[in-house]
Amino acid sequence: MKCEICERGCEIPENGTGACGLYENNGQVIVERFPNKYLITCPISIETMPMLHFYIGQKFLQISTVGCNFHCPGCISTVIVKEMNHKSKALKELSPMEIVNEAIKNNCIGIAFLMNDPIASFYTFIKVAEAAKKRKLLVGCSSNTYFTEDALNKIIKYLDFINIGVKGMSDDIYRKCGGSTVNPVIRNMKILHDNGVFIEVSCVYSNENKEQVIELAKKISEISKDIPLQIMRFIPLEEADCSLEPSIKASEELIKQLMQYVNYVYLFNSPGTDFLNTYCPKCGKLIYKRDFYGPMGAKLISSELVEKEICPRCSFKLNFKGSLKNVRYQEADFQGGYPFTRALEIMESILITIGVSDKDKIVKVWEDVLCSGKLKNLHMDIQNLNSYIDTIRNFGKIAGYNNEAENLSSYMEERISIIQRGLANVKNKPKVYYAMGKPLFCIKGGRMENQLIEAAGGISVNKELDCSGRPGMRISVEQLNKLNPDIIFISAFISNSVEDFYDECIKDGINVEAVKNKRIYTHIAPGLDFGSPRWILGLMYMANILHPDIFNFNVIKEVEQFYQKFYNIDFTLANLNRSFAKPSNKWKLNS
């Protein structure tokens, strides 16, 4: 029997399943194997999804299940589409009405399915959408949109909005994801638009698909130049090659090119960029100002008074739908959108480093944290050196890896102790600023990166600012100049080259000691300042930079020994990427 949900079109034998493993042939019809099972149900602001032109700043209930019809290389949601067990205790069984009641209880104006694809839970999503419509709630989703026409016809009558995730414009990239061609996505995009569904389109930009992204913009313009296009600067995770990550500078140049084809283009995964803002396509007036809000996310910062979607300067008709919410919702640290996947990955990173390679044992720890409501505590605990090490020991106990957890903890404590002894009589400490991406994106003072600065013998100037946001916020040139740091570090997660960063400082008029003396540093490898226990290696590197008269750690040798001791593999820089958990893009977990 053929599965008619997505265009992979699996022929499923009786009592068998399709390629995604989410549907089976019961002998009469194709049925969903894990209906009404949710990993996440929580309120979000719509920009977290992300949707930027639909009911701006409004609160929706995010729902996410487990699994996907695709298996895209480097997927940011790998932990929930490939590694989370469908039968995990972390999943909650909820009826469609319970979902709707949760949305109403939290004063949400609608329901949004995101992070994994609604195609993975097609019949569940239809029932939720039907129940939501009866209570006059808005309904939407993020999807690869690989629906068959028959499946799209079943769902389209319930959809108010959708973020269409396009993988690229070549059939080859769709084959790598498990599909065959991009054509169904383009077909469905036009059908959705023609049926009045509010569309935004997202596409990953990497160093190998620039022409495809331009081709996509041209194809969108044939449907409507007013469809917003979101460019997701590629962050290489899982098995992805780090060389595919484009610079922020190159990404911003691409955005400028794309603006000749469509009216609204946005750049994600590039903290500090102006290209998350909305400008009038005709006169260039700033309409909505936004900030980076974690991977694939944005946050509305301020807005121009706009009546009836008309530019207040030139009267150009802007493409927005729905009312603006003046009091904006603030998600919890690991809730809302993709930061939740980073939480799972951080837990996984600790477990892998103490030798856990079995998925079921990793899921067991995830369940312990999620089912006991400890996610908020986890976010606090990973921001402090001592509590992070306590977390290692706790996870070792849960997973049955006590000795291995103790070995890692002792190694880290020994290195910290060496640095503490070296700094015992130090009075003069340099002022240090920690940026993510571009110079003006300031990482929150309470985050781990700034604790590492202080542990390495510096003064974190980030702590002098009342910095909100996630994981920080954009500050002004005047604020940074007033802080006047002696040294600047750039995040090892969403990073930048020293050359591009310095050029940006000069262009913006950032006139601090660190820029004057060119004391701007990146880490020697990704993952050495947040998330993974590998931050201990970053701490030694920082100590060398901040106090070269005291410390002379052979950091490369330390990294090589760390990899052998805890991962039992050789350290190869070319095999590293931005994953917190996996120490190499060749790393595989046991099923």
Side-chain angles (χ1 to χ4, degrees):
M1 187 180 298
K2 188 175 181 179
C3 179
E4 296 285 355
I5 295 171
C6 95
E7 287 285 359
R8 295 184 74 172
C10 297
E11 288 288 347
I12 305 179
E14 189 169 345
N15 299 320
T17 64
C20 68
L22 301 168
Y23 299 93
E24 66 181 340
N25 176 355
N26 69 1
Q28 296 178 313
V29 292
I30 303 295
V31 296
E32 191 177 337
R33 294 182 66 202
F34 311 103
N36 304 315
K37 296 287 186 70
Y38 296 92
L39 181 61
I40 302 168
T41 55
C42 71
I44 60 167
S45 50
I46 192 67
E47 290 82 7
T48 309
M49 184 177 168
M51 291 288 290
L52 302 185
H53 283 229
F54 187 81
Y55 284 84
I56 296 171
Q58 295 273 15
K59 186 162 61 166
F60 286 72
L61 186 75
Q62 171 186 339
I63 58 174
S64 307
T65 60
V66 174
C68 187
N69 62 318
F70 276 1
H71 48 81
C72 304
C75 176
I76 192 171
S77 294
T78 290
V79 286
I80 69 169
V81 301
K82 294 181 183 178
E83 296 174 2
M84 178 63 80
N85 191 316
H86 292 89
K87 298 179 181 178
S88 168
K89 291 185 292 185
L91 273 66
K92 297 177 289 186
E93 184 164 354
L94 298 167
S95 70
M97 275 313 302
E98 285 176 309
I99 292 291
V100 168
N101 289 339
E102 185 72 11
I104 293 169
K105 182 181 78 175
N106 284 281
N107 298 314
C108 299
I109 66 166
I111 293 171
F113 193 122
L114 60 140
M115 279 203 337
N116 73 315
D117 203 289
I119 290 175
S121 304
F122 184 68
Y123 299 120
T124 289
F125 185 46
I126 283 182
K127 290 174 183 175
V128 168
E130 187 176 23
K133 283 297 164 188
K134 289 178 180 176
R135 298 299 298 272
K136 301 191 183 310
L137 294 174
L138 297 166
V139 175
C141 62
S142 289
S143 176
N144 57 48
T145 324
Y146 218 59
F147 298 103
T148 62
E149 287 191 77
D150 180 65
L152 187 61
N153 286 335
K154 286 184 172 70
I155 192 69
I156 199 168
K157 59 187 174 183
Y158 301 115
L159 288 179
D160 297 290
F161 63 100
I162 186 170
N163 184 316
I164 299 174
V166 180
K167 308 303 175 184
M169 291 299 287
S170 74
D171 292 346
D172 180 61
I173 187 62
Y174 275 86
R175 284 192 289 268
K176 288 178 181 177
C177 291
S180 57
T181 172
V182 65
N183 293 339
V185 180
I186 303 302
R187 176 200 69 209
N188 291 342
M189 187 187 300
K190 188 172 190 315
I191 292 172
L192 286 158
H193 177 266
D194 290 349
N195 280 270
V197 179
F198 195 91
I199 293 173
E200 299 192 24
V201 177
S202 59
C203 184
V204 170
Y205 162 53
S206 75
N207 280 331
E208 66 177 8
N209 75 338
K210 178 179 178 180
E211 294 306 316
Q212 291 187 47
V213 175
I214 294 172
E215 184 182 349
L216 172 62
K218 292 177 180 177
K219 184 63 69 174
I220 291 171
S221 71
E222 293 174 8
I223 300 172
S224 171
K225 291 188 69 172
D226 281 336
I227 294 174
L229 174 58
Q230 304 172 359
I231 300 302
M232 303 295 174
R233 188 176 71 89
F234 184 57
I235 304 298
L237 303 170
E238 300 298 328
E239 69 270 43
D241 185 344
C242 207
S243 68
L244 296 178
E245 180 181 351
S247 68
I248 294 176
K249 181 179 179 180
S251 303
E252 291 184 328
E253 289 301 316
L254 175 61
I255 297 297
K256 294 173 188 175
Q257 286 183 257
L258 297 173
M259 286 177 172
Q260 63 185 296
Y261 305 110
V262 289
N263 285 334
Y264 308 97
V265 191
Y266 300 99
L267 178 61
F268 286 76
N269 302 337
S270 304
T273 186
D274 286 329
F275 291 108
L276 270 179
N277 300 332
T278 297
Y279 300 91
C280 173
K282 184 177 180 182
C283 71
K285 180 173 178 57
L286 176 63
I287 306 295
Y288 294 108
K289 187 175 183 179
R290 303 182 187 87
D291 211 349
F292 172 79
Y293 199 59
M296 323 284 270
K299 195 70 172 178
L300 183 66
I301 302 300
S302 63
S303 59
E304 181 69 31
L305 181 61
V306 177
E307 295 183 5
K308 298 181 179 179
E309 290 76 52
I310 299 294
C311 173
R313 178 191 287 169
C314 72
S315 299
F316 182 85
K317 181 73 168 69
L318 303 168
N319 182 35
F320 289 90
K321 185 169 184 178
S323 58
L324 170 70
K325 183 73 171 180
N326 291 324
V327 180
R328 290 179 276 280
Y329 179 68
Q330 180 72 43
E331 294 86 351
D333 293 301
F334 276 144
Q335 283 191 324
Y338 293 91
F340 179 86
T341 66
R342 301 307 86 211
L344 298 186
E345 236 209 302
I346 289 168
M347 290 187 263
E348 187 177 73
S349 75
I350 293 173
L351 294 164
I352 287 175
T353 312
I354 63 173
V356 181
S357 59
D358 183 83
K359 284 184 187 177
D360 288 341
K361 290 179 179 178
I362 290 171
V363 170
K364 181 181 177 182
V365 175
W366 287 345
E367 289 174 342
D368 181 84
V369 172
L370 298 176
C371 295
S372 59
K374 297 175 184 174
L375 199 59
K376 183 176 181 180
N377 292 339
L378 176 71
H379 190 271
M380 292 187 292
D381 290 343
I382 62 168
Q383 313 296 352
N384 176 278
L385 280 66
N386 292 330
S387 58
Y388 191 108
I389 293 172
D390 289 342
T391 300
I392 292 172
R393 290 189 169 107
N394 180 44
F395 285 1
K397 183 178 179 180
I398 297 168
Y401 279 66
N402 287 31
N403 292 338
E404 293 85 351
E406 188 58 40
N407 287 340
L408 174 60
S409 299
S410 297
Y411 168 90
M412 298 172 80
E413 287 170 339
E414 287 169 8
R415 269 60 182 179
I416 292 169
S417 181
I418 291 169
I419 294 171
Q420 288 174 335
R421 289 196 299 271
L423 294 171
N425 298 313
V426 170
K427 291 184 172 58
N428 295 320
K429 296 183 177 182
K431 296 191 296 181
V432 185
Y433 172 69
Y434 225 113
M436 181 177 279
K438 299 182 68 153
L440 295 176
F441 193 88
C442 173
I443 291 177
K444 275 184 184 178
R447 274 180 58 104
M448 177 60 119
E449 295 93 333
N450 295 305
Q451 317 319 314
L452 293 177
I453 288 298
E454 296 191 336
I459 298 169
S460 171
V461 298
N462 296 53
K463 293 189 173 186
E464 296 179 25
L465 298 175
D466 183 15
C467 199
S468 59
R470 188 170 71 179
M473 61 181 286
R474 180 167 173 158
I475 62 174
S476 67
V477 172
E478 292 73 23
Q479 285 175 299
L480 183 49
N481 282 340
K482 185 177 180 181
L483 293 173
N484 194 25
D486 302 303
I487 294 171
I488 294 175
F489 278 99
I490 309 171
S491 165
F493 177 44
I494 299 186
S495 198
N496 205 339
S497 72
V498 170
E499 296 75 20
D500 286 354
F501 191 97
Y502 175 79
D503 289 346
E504 192 90 20
C505 288
I506 299 302
K507 178 173 71 73
D508 287 346
I510 297 169
N511 186 31
V512 300
E513 291 300 313
V515 175
K516 292 176 187 175
N517 299 317
K518 295 190 174 180
R519 298 204 67 190
I520 301 169
Y521 301 93
T522 56
H523 285 268
I524 62 170
L528 300 192
D529 62 353
F530 181 79
S532 161
R534 297 191 295 277
W535 59 252
I536 191 63
L537 304 167
L539 175 61
M540 289 184 272
Y541 173 70
M542 291 180 196
N544 282 354
I545 297 295
L546 300 187
H547 295 283
D549 54 325
I550 301 174
F551 302 110
N552 188 28
F553 290 107
N554 187 336
V555 179
I556 293 295
K557 185 177 180 181
E558 289 280 354
V559 172
E560 290 171 345
Q561 290 176 344
F562 189 94
Y563 265 65
Q564 279 294 335
K565 182 178 178 69
F566 297 108
Y567 302 128
N568 198 29
I569 61 172
D570 291 333
F571 170 74
T572 306
L573 189 58
N575 291 343
L576 267 63
N577 59 26
R578 305 290 178 191
S579 289
F580 293 146
K582 314 303 192 297
S584 161
N585 61 10
K586 309 296 182 188
W587 190 271
K588 301 292 181 186
L589 291 174
N590 298 326
S591 299

